[in-house]
Structures are given as C-alpha cells and as structure tokens.
Amino acid sequence: MSKQGFAVRSLIALAVASAFPLQSAMATEVEAVAAQPAAAEEQAGQAVAATPVIKGDQLETVIVTAQRRAENIKDVPMSIASIKGDKLDVLTSGAADIRFLSSRSPSVSVESDYGRTFPRFYIRGLGNTDFDLNASQPVGLVVDDVVQENAMLKGFPVFDVDQVEVLRGPQGTLFGRNSPAGVIKFDSAKPVFKTEGYLTLGVGNYSAKTAEGMFNIPVSDTVALRFSGTSQHRDDRVHNTNPTANKGTQDFEGYGDNAFRLQALVQPTKDFSALFNYHERDYHGTATLFRANIIKKGTNDLVDGFDYGSYASDGINYQKLTTKGGSIRLKYNMDDITLHSITGYETLKFNSRADVDGGYGAVYAPPYGPGYIPFAVETADLLPNHKQFTQEFRAESNYKGPLQWIGGLFFFDENIQIDSIAFDTFSPGNPQVAPYSVQYQKAKSWAAFGTLNYTVNDQFKVRGGLRYTNDKKDFSASRIDYPAGSTSLTTATTDLHDTSHNLSWDLSGTYELTKDTNLFARVATGYRAPSMQGRLSALTDKPSKAGAEKALSYEAGIKQDLFDKRARLSASVFQYRVKDKQLTAGSGSVNMNQLINAEKVTGQGVELDLQANLGYGFSSTVGYSYNDTEIKDPSLFVQYCGNYGNNPTHLSGCTPTNAAGPFAGTSLINGNPLPRAPKNQLNFTLKYSTEIGNGEFYAYTDWTYRSSYNFFLYEAPEYKAKPLTEGGLRAGYKWGDGKYEVAAFGRNITDKRVILGAIDFDNLTGMLNEPRTWGATFKVNF
C-alpha cells in the first residue's frame, strides 16, 4: 500500500472514529462525488452525456447551479450539497418517495403526516409542522427551474433526475420568497441528440411492483424528445381488526403512484434553444395511519404487545392526488449576454380522508376497547381547485472580465380552494350532511432581482445581490355548520387581505488560500410571505394571519481537496436569527390552528461533509451536522393535550414538562427548541466495486442517524422522538458493458420501529417510520 493510499484511509478512519463511537449510527452523505455540467447551464440547453476524464482515483468535479450559473461546487460561497447517479438509485430503492432525502445531507429533514403526499422540509431546524393545505414552508422546492409552492406539488416521484442540490441558508436573492431556510433543487435529465433509454423493473415485499423507464430520440438535427415515467404499487400491509368496521376501510398503507414527464428540446441554432416540459402524476392510496393509544404513558415507548400489522379503526381512509404541469424554458446567447425566459404552470386536485382520532369508540359511542378514544375525529381535506402560474425573465453576462452580473424579473400567480369536512359531527335532523369549512386564496407576487460577481484578484472573489418583492393576498374563509338546536345549515364568512414588501440581500466572498483550499464567508437574508388560513371548526371561529418572517444568517467555512483530489472536505459554521417566526400556536385559552408570529427564533451549528476514494474499489462519505435552535418569546404559549376524566380504566393524555401558561391546559414555550429539529445528524456510506468475469460487482451500504426532537412546540416525554438509526444495502452486478444490471436491496435493514410524529389529542396517537423493505431490480440500457 502506498503512503498516499494509507493517508487517505487514515483520514476516513479518523473522521468515522471521531463522528461515530462504537455502536453509533451511520448515515448517507448526499453530496455527489460525480457530476456533469448542469443541463440548465449547458450550451444551447443540450445535456452533456460524457463523463469528465479523471486521473486515477481522483474525485470528479461537482458542477452546481446554486447561483444560477454552472460552477464548481468548491467555488460557491455557501454550504451546499448535491446527489446524482448511483446514489440516487440506491437511496430511492424500493420506490422511496421524496422523504429519502431526510438525514441524507447535514441539517436536512423531510417528514409528512400525509404519507407520500404533502412532504414538509426542514433545513437547519427551520420548517413548518402545520398540516393545513394552505400552510407555507420556509424551504423552497424548485423543480426544473419552476418553484413548487403548494405542499401537494412537492411530493412528485423522483425518476430520471440528473441532479439534486441542497442549498442551506437563506436564498432570498435568486430564489425569492418562502426560502429563508434554504432551497432544494431538482434537475431532470434533459433530451440529448442521440437515441438511448433504459427500463427498470422491480419487485419487493408487501407485493411491491415498480417500473421505471426512459426513451430519448432525436427527431431531427434540431429536435430531440425524451419521455420518462414511473409506476409504483404496493399492497396493503396493515389489517383493520375492529369487528364493527364493516363500513370502514378494511386494510391500510397500500398505494399506486404513476407519473411521467415528456420533454422536447428545440435547438435551431447554436445560440437559441427551447425546452418544453409536460408532466403528470396520478396517486391513490390510504392516508397516513394514525394509531390511538400506542404510546406508553410518561414515556416515548411503544405500548407492550404493539403489532405493526394490525390496527382497529371505525373510520374511512383514502387519499387521491392528481397533478399536471408544464414549462417552457427559452435561452438565447447574444455574444456577451445570455437571455432566459422560464414559464411554468401547475395545477392539482387532492382528496384525503382519515380517522384522525386514531381509534374507535368514544365516551358517547361504545364499544370501548383497546382503541378507546374520548371523542371521535374523522375529517377530509380537499383541494378541488388549484392553479399556479410563474414567469421569470433573466439576463446574465458571459463576457470576459472581472465583473459579471445577473438581473431579472419574476411573477407569481396562485388561486386555490380548500374544503375541510368534519364527518364526526352530523346534525341529528340531517345525518347525511356534515359541517365543513372552505378557504379561498388569491396570491400574487412580483420581484426584481440582481447580483454582481467581482474578481478582486486571482485569489479573492466577492458576490452581492438584492431582490425586491411585492406580495398581495386576498383570502376568504367560511364555516358551513348547524347552529345549536337547528337542522338548517348556516354560513359564516370572514375575509382577510394583505400587501407586503420586502428587500432581501446577500454578500459573500471566496478566498483561495491554496490551489486546493478555498475559504468562504456569507451573510444573507430571507423572507417568508404573510400566511393566512381558516380551517374553521365552528361558526364562531375566525381565520388567522401571520405577518412576514425575516431571517438573517451568517456562515463561514472551508472547502478543500485532499490527497491529490482523492478526498474532499467541506466544513461550515453558521448562526441565524428569524424575526416574527410564523408558528401555529395558542390564541386565548385554546389552540385552534391559529397562526401567530413568535418574537424571535435563533439557531447556530456546524456542518461537515467528507468524501474520499479509498482505493482498491472502495469509496466512502461521512457527514455530520449540529443544530441548536431556540424559541425566544416570553409570552408565547400553546395548548397541550389533556387528560380525559378520572376513570382509571380510561387512557389519558400526555404529561407536559414546560411551565404552565396563562390558561388551564397551556404551556409556555420560551426557550424550547423548534419542533422536528434534531440537534445531531450523522450519515455514512461505503461502496465497493470490482470486476468479476466480464462485468462489475458492487455493494453499497448507507446509514443515517438523528438524535431526538420534539413533535410539538411544547415538551412532553410522550411527544419526544426517540433517536433513530436506519441502514440500507444494495448489491448488484453489471455486465455487457453496463447494458444489463441486476440488484438486490434492503431499506431499514435492522427493521427499527419508532414513533415519528403524533396527534396531540387525549389518546396518545402516533405515526411510525417505514418498516423494513427489500426486493430486487433488473435494468436494461439501450
């Protein structure tokens, strides 16, 4: 073994040993060790298929478009990561949805109370736990240069994707509103001027069946088409054991998820290109399974005798989602200036019904039993109308010289309707009609933005940017219900309006300490537009509004190539402050999904990414993040779950540990961390590949660990997540010059079962992580 090879191995061993003590968890680092120029910035919009030639075991250069230009990730002055290629294949094995990103990159979490729809993203602890269909998020999701505003758009299946980028920290200048925590970018593989394609078929436990394929064909010298799609199906895996459930849902957790994308690249000259994109999704399945009384009182343990495969329910459970959208991306090179136009349109329809109480029976509706609940809650949420239109015009310089610039305009227009139905409350005189509430919102926004990059000298570069945003929202909420003692429906309506303005900015610099080492520093601001919602529960309820939240962030770090580019290190420290943080908290004596602004939230931490080619067919990545968040508002309080009655045979609620609030059943939350914000996250991967016969054998293992976190704004032992370690494994064989591949995989291979989230009613209702899944795939490239 060479001294250099030994040094690389020693580096990785030291990193692993310091980050992971014996018996500790390991997880996947999602910063790619291989990348090609991003399609959005390639000449005339054409994807480059060839892989850069590398020297020996050197890591390939990672190209990203975080600053809306194609750049070496080492030169971008912010904390950023990317994933593509083999890693995407591994992490999405078994038809994993977009939540596969959770804990795969430092400071990133993804969860959902709606299953494979409505994913909620968190970066550096900043996110939004609200389940209202009008709830905004502080993490922006951008797919093929088009922002996906509504949460139901954010769960589109991941297939035929060229690269995923995770931009940590505020992105208010180039990506605008609703990105004070960061942005996650997905870039689909684009059409190329050659005939190629692939087909992947898979099977797995729970009768899972998957198919994914792509076919690319040049129609002429100037037109190329690319069609890609996926079909994912799984049978139900939880059976309803309630003997009285003959009219309810009998089995749960099965789904069918089909999606496709059709792209056309038109390139009549080397200076002009037009890329057309049309995509659809059709999803049906059961909503997230809420299970009553599965948390042991005073702990966060599962109750004795818990059985994953059975659940007693008296409700109906289903979920349906269809999305359709398209975009037109035009690019024109004018010698020293390049012009861009990006037009996007998205629409969706959503219908979800679930037994939210998580059990069966109630004090007024026997029978009592293991799923006993003090009251019944069964609701449905619908998005019958949704339309989103976006338009961006952008110009950028591409001439030689120390000064470069980008400038542009952005327009956003959204119209939505949300219906919420309470099936547990019927009128005695009209049992077929349930009370419901309706929300209408029209949101319009426009922005002007610009950035300057200046090369001071060969070692030092500075960047700065400004963005002005104007937001306008018109909102109306109605409750249609039965007044006391009446069998006739009555409507109560309230309107809200808001116009806001914001100026976001950022300033950053990169200093080349040596040829292999860059230092960077960045200060940036972010902005989340005012939010409104009115999921009203009674005729006397009123909708709520939270004003804009604004973030200020500082970060500094180092990006370094090591051992003749056989290893790469990226490390950063950061600190941020969010003023007027939007939260759902108590208003008066109860918490009825009231939006409020917390006075301030602070956060600080570190992030570490390390990857290396170890030689002899081995490669590895290690990642770590520490996030310390704190809510700072002495007057802020929320309602906690209560206890039901004094009957010792009845299961009761949680045991809050925060100081009591001003009303009975409330807690003060000043000093608490943000919910669903683990302090520590670790990730690790190890890959081995070698030639066998006329092909290549490979084995890839990935591990994640995250520490505990609070489910809600208040603290209670029942609602604190246990630390979670999950591992995956994929082994396969490629032959025929890579034309054929067969592989076996396993996700959550240790079958770890923990509670990931809860409903804080009186009945200790919880939701669990995915159980162990396994299967096999066959792929053919042509």
Side-chain angles (χ1 to χ4, degrees):
M1 183 186 302
S2 67
K3 292 182 178 180
Q4 196 170 50
F6 179 79
V8 175
R9 289 167 174 75
S10 299
L11 172 68
I12 298 300
L14 177 62
V16 174
S18 61
F20 306 104
L22 288 177
Q23 307 301 323
S24 70
M26 301 175 290
T28 304
E29 158 54 20
V30 302
E31 183 156 337
V33 298
Q36 301 166 4
E41 299 298 330
E42 287 158 3
Q43 184 70 18
Q46 180 178 351
V48 176
T51 301
V53 177
I54 60 174
K55 175 184 175 183
D57 289 332
Q58 289 184 347
L59 296 173
E60 293 176 315
T61 301
V62 177
I63 303 298
V64 296
T65 56
Q67 300 288 313
R68 310 304 289 271
R69 295 177 181 270
E71 297 177 284
N72 187 331
I73 194 171
K74 180 182 169 186
D75 297 328
V76 179
M78 72 169 70
S79 181
I80 181 174
S82 75
I83 176 174
K84 66 180 300 177
D86 290 343
K87 288 191 176 182
L88 270 178
D89 293 340
V90 170
L91 298 179
T92 57
S93 295
D97 61 36
I98 202 169
R99 288 174 292 175
F100 79 87
L101 283 173
S102 189
S103 297
R104 306 296 172 179
S105 180
S107 297
V108 174
S109 298
V110 191
E111 53 86 13
S112 174
D113 287 350
Y114 279 77
R116 295 174 70 89
T117 60
F118 203 151
R120 299 186 294 210
F121 298 85
Y122 303 75
I123 295 180
R124 294 177 174 173
L126 292 172
N128 186 3
T129 62
D130 205 328
F131 55 82
D132 191 279
L133 298 186
N134 197 35
S136 67
Q137 296 184 4
V139 178
L141 184 74
V142 178
V143 179
D144 294 333
D145 286 336
V146 176
V147 64
Q148 309 293 297
E149 181 69 15
N150 189 272
M152 290 302 161
L153 296 172
K154 298 183 178 184
F156 197 84
V158 180
F159 60 93
D160 197 28
V161 168
D162 178 64
Q163 183 162 264
V164 181
E165 297 177 22
V166 178
L167 286 55
R168 308 181 189 111
Q171 306 296 321
T173 300
L174 287 174
F175 295 95
R177 63 203 290 274
N178 297 350
S179 60
V183 163
I184 297 178
K185 288 177 73 266
F186 282 79
D187 293 315
S188 302
K190 308 301 185 293
V192 294
F193 285 91
K194 68 175 183 177
T195 300
E196 64 179 13
Y198 70 84
L199 176 65
T200 302
L201 301 176
V203 295
N205 59 338
Y206 304 113
S207 300
K209 294 174 280 293
T210 62
E212 180 182 324
M214 178 276 293
F215 183 60
N216 187 101
I217 182 172
V219 178
S220 67
D221 292 339
T222 59
V223 178
L225 300 178
R226 188 182 189 96
F227 177 83
S228 53
T230 182
S231 180
Q232 306 169 355
H233 295 266
R234 185 182 68 203
D235 285 353
D236 294 309
R237 58 190 183 190
V238 180
H239 180 64
N240 191 349
T241 58
N242 181 8
T244 67
N246 57 336
K247 293 184 180 180
T249 300
Q250 300 296 303
D251 297 285
F252 308 93
E253 295 199 350
Y255 65 83
D257 202 353
N258 304 299
F260 74 87
R261 183 187 304 113
L262 176 62
Q263 299 179 87
L265 173 64
V266 180
Q267 185 180 315
T269 71
K270 66 180 182 65
D271 293 322
F272 176 77
S273 68
L275 182 59
F276 301 88
N277 177 315
Y278 179 77
H279 48 271
E280 286 191 13
R281 182 190 188 189
D282 185 358
Y283 172 85
H284 63 274
T286 56
T288 293
L289 199 54
F290 307 130
R291 306 181 191 228
N293 303 319
I294 66 169
I295 306 172
K296 190 179 296 186
K297 176 79 172 180
T299 75
N300 56 2
D301 295 328
L302 289 167
V303 294
D304 297 337
F306 172 79
D307 177 20
Y308 182 90
S310 63
Y311 163 69
S313 170
D314 57 6
I316 298 174
N317 186 308
Y318 63 80
Q319 202 169 79
K320 299 177 182 178
L321 171 66
T322 59
T323 66
K324 299 178 182 179
S327 64
I328 303 173
R329 285 181 280 176
L330 308 177
K331 181 179 179 181
Y332 181 52
N333 290 317
M334 300 171 47
D335 295 330
D336 293 337
I337 298 176
T338 301
L339 303 178
H340 300 264
S341 172
I342 305 169
T343 306
Y345 179 80
E346 303 288 343
T347 183
L348 69 91
K349 290 185 182 296
F350 178 69
N351 185 350
S352 178
R353 180 171 174 175
D355 186 22
V356 182
D357 57 65
Y360 69 93
V363 65
Y364 56 83
Y368 304 129
Y372 165 80
I373 53 172
F375 52 85
V377 179
E378 184 175 341
T379 64
D381 288 314
L382 299 85
L383 264 170
N385 295 301
H386 169 275
K387 295 179 178 64
Q388 175 191 294
F389 172 80
T390 58
Q391 175 65 57
E392 179 177 314
F393 298 107
R394 188 174 80 249
E396 66 183 50
S397 64
N398 53 27
Y399 46 74
K400 294 182 180 180
L403 181 66
Q404 300 292 328
W405 53 266
I406 295 176
L409 296 171
F410 176 78
F411 302 91
F412 174 88
D413 191 340
E414 180 190 54
N415 287 273
I416 61 175
Q417 174 187 340
I418 302 171
D419 298 342
S420 299
I421 306 171
F423 290 102
D424 51 273
T425 308
F426 293 93
S427 166
N430 192 0
Q432 302 304 314
V433 179
Y436 62 98
S437 60
V438 182
Q439 305 176 55
Y440 297 95
Q441 178 175 284
K442 294 183 178 181
K444 292 186 176 182
S445 177
W446 69 270
F449 61 92
T451 65
L452 293 175
N453 297 352
Y454 185 71
T455 302
V456 179
N457 53 47
D458 291 342
Q459 287 76 40
F460 185 45
K461 299 178 181 179
V462 294
R463 309 182 186 207
L466 290 172
R467 186 186 189 102
Y468 172 81
T469 302
N470 179 288
D471 277 302
K472 181 181 179 181
K473 284 187 177 180
D474 296 309
F475 181 85
S476 176
S478 299
R479 176 68 182 178
I480 297 87
D481 207 337
Y482 301 98
S486 174
T487 59
S488 299
L489 288 172
T490 297
T491 301
T493 301
T494 305
D495 296 331
L496 296 174
H497 307 278
D498 189 271
T499 299
S500 63
H501 313 269
N502 183 72
L503 185 65
S504 300
W505 57 270
D506 67 83
L507 180 65
S508 58
T510 303
Y511 181 75
E512 186 180 285
L513 186 64
T514 69
K515 181 181 177 181
D516 296 322
T517 305
N518 284 354
L519 305 178
F520 72 90
R522 181 174 187 256
V523 56
T525 65
Y527 158 76
R528 181 146 66 120
S531 296
M532 304 173 185
Q533 61 188 47
R535 200 171 185 270
L536 310 178
S537 299
L539 289 170
T540 56
D541 289 342
K542 300 295 182 182
S544 57
K545 180 178 75 172
E549 72 178 36
K550 299 180 180 181
L552 174 63
S553 171
Y554 304 88
E555 67 179 80
I558 182 173
K559 298 183 180 184
Q560 188 173 29
D561 292 327
L562 303 168
F563 305 111
D564 193 24
K565 297 185 178 180
R566 289 174 171 80
R568 181 181 296 128
L569 171 69
S570 176
S572 61
V573 296
F574 62 87
Q575 186 178 63
Y576 64 78
R577 180 195 69 214
V578 181
K579 294 183 62 177
D580 299 320
K581 171 65 176 171
Q582 295 181 17
L583 297 172
T584 301
S587 177
S589 61
V590 296
N591 176 6
M592 291 299 299
N593 272 355
Q594 296 296 301
L595 285 168
I596 59 96
N597 290 103
E599 182 178 320
K600 184 169 61 175
V601 166
T602 61
Q604 57 190 345
V606 298
E607 292 156 346
L608 171 69
D609 298 313
L610 176 66
Q611 54 255 276
N613 284 335
L614 307 179
Y616 300 103
F618 287 94
S619 61
S620 181
T621 64
V622 178
Y624 170 74
S625 63
Y626 172 81
N627 284 269
D628 180 22
T629 64
E630 184 177 355
I631 299 169
K632 295 186 176 182
D633 190 332
S635 62
L636 189 58
F637 64 92
V638 297
Q639 183 187 27
Y640 61 80
C641 88
N643 295 317
Y644 181 77
N646 298 314
N647 190 327
T649 65
H650 294 173
L651 294 176
S652 56
C654 65
T655 50
T657 58
N658 288 128
F663 299 94
T666 65
S667 289
L668 295 171
I669 62 171
N670 183 49
N672 281 4
L674 288 170
R676 309 218 183 204
K679 277 194 174 183
N680 294 285
Q681 289 179 286
L682 300 167
N683 49 72
F684 171 79
T685 71
L686 180 65
K687 180 182 179 180
Y688 172 74
S689 63
T690 186
E691 292 184 4
I692 297 179
N694 295 320
E696 176 195 1
F697 168 80
Y698 67 88
Y700 193 111
T701 186
D702 61 281
W703 292 83
T704 65
Y705 167 82
R706 60 113 182 103
S707 56
S708 64
Y709 57 77
N710 292 335
F711 295 152
F712 307 111
L713 291 167
Y714 64 90
E715 294 190 331
E718 295 88 351
Y719 296 140
K720 181 178 287 290
K722 285 180 174 292
L724 177 61
T725 302
E726 287 187 318
L729 179 65
R730 182 182 177 96
Y733 185 71
K734 300 178 181 180
W735 72 98
D737 292 327
K739 183 177 182 180
Y740 303 102
E741 177 184 355
V742 63
F745 65 86
R747 308 303 303 162
N748 188 14
I749 56 178
T750 59
D751 204 21
K752 185 74 172 180
R753 306 284 180 89
V754 300
I755 301 167
L756 292 183
I759 303 294
D760 60 343
F761 293 157
D762 293 340
N763 42 304
L764 297 175
T765 296
M767 295 156 276
L768 284 89
N769 63 321
E770 290 278 310
R772 177 168 50 213
T773 59
W774 49 264
T777 62
F778 173 75
K779 182 177 182 179
V780 57
N781 296 288
F782 51 88

